[in-house]
Amino acid sequence: MRPLIGLLSFAIAMGMSGLSSATEPLPLPKGPVVLTVSGKIEQTNGNGVALFDLETLEGLGKASFATRSEVSEVPQFFEGVPLRALLERIGFQGKSLRASALNDYAAVIPVEDLKFEPILATKVDGRMLTIRDKGPLWIVYPRDAHKVLQDARYDYRWVWQLNKIHVE
């Protein structure tokens, strides 16, 4: 019985530490801001917004997968930050995200899309994304892992040169 209690205590402590991340103050960016998140969020570090430099963003976690995209017939290896990790860190309260790019392109992403585990890609095939090649951030879905994602409505949600997310 005692080992079970210890295991249960450990599980509760781990769960609480995961939940507390949205309540810890969001650090100020030290480098150039690559992403601004606004709207229905609990955590901010700017004037009502959450500002992220690349280092702080990458500190939220890592995810990667290989997949094809609308712009590439061959699978590419994407590395980045789980979109879910970002949203949980800032305590999002909305039902959709308006993702905007440097060129003012915008797409609405339903929160239900988190079930597919999209990432904010910072690298492709081992190279850091630059503005010239769709960076510094690119919302990427694991298109090859889910047949439904091989549809134009999801292709429109692959926002490259991402710089803003508004939680609605």
Side-chain angles (χ1 to χ4, degrees), residues 14-142:
M14 291 306 290
M16 287 182 177
S17 70
L19 293 175
S20 68
S21 67
T23 60
E24 295 172 13
L26 194 59
L28 291 171
K30 295 177 185 149
V33 172
V34 294
L35 182 65
T36 302
V37 185
S38 60
K40 296 179 180 180
I41 60 174
E42 294 175 355
Q43 290 291 313
T44 62
N45 60 358
N47 189 17
V49 298
L51 304 169
F52 290 89
D53 59 14
L54 199 54
E55 181 181 341
T56 305
L57 195 59
E58 289 179 333
L60 297 176
K62 296 183 190 273
S64 60
F65 51 78
T67 194
R68 290 175 192 77
S69 69
E70 181 185 44
V71 296
S72 176
E73 292 287 324
V74 298
Q76 294 175 291
F77 186 69
F78 293 95
E79 298 172 77
V81 178
L83 179 57
R84 179 186 306 277
L86 168 74
L87 296 174
E88 288 175 352
R89 178 62 180 93
I90 59 172
F92 78 103
Q93 301 294 317
K95 297 194 184 303
S96 65
L97 313 171
R98 182 174 176 78
S100 303
L102 292 170
N103 66 358
D104 294 327
Y105 175 80
V108 175
I109 299 172
V111 170
E112 292 84 38
D113 279 13
L114 293 178
K115 68 185 173 195
F116 299 117
E117 300 297 333
I119 65 172
L120 303 174
T122 56
K123 293 181 181 177
V124 64
D125 295 332
R127 295 181 329 272
M128 291 296 292
L129 289 169
T130 64
I131 290 173
R132 174 173 239 141
D133 57 12
K134 302 180 178 30
L137 301 173
W138 185 2
I139 296 177
V140 177
Y141 286 75

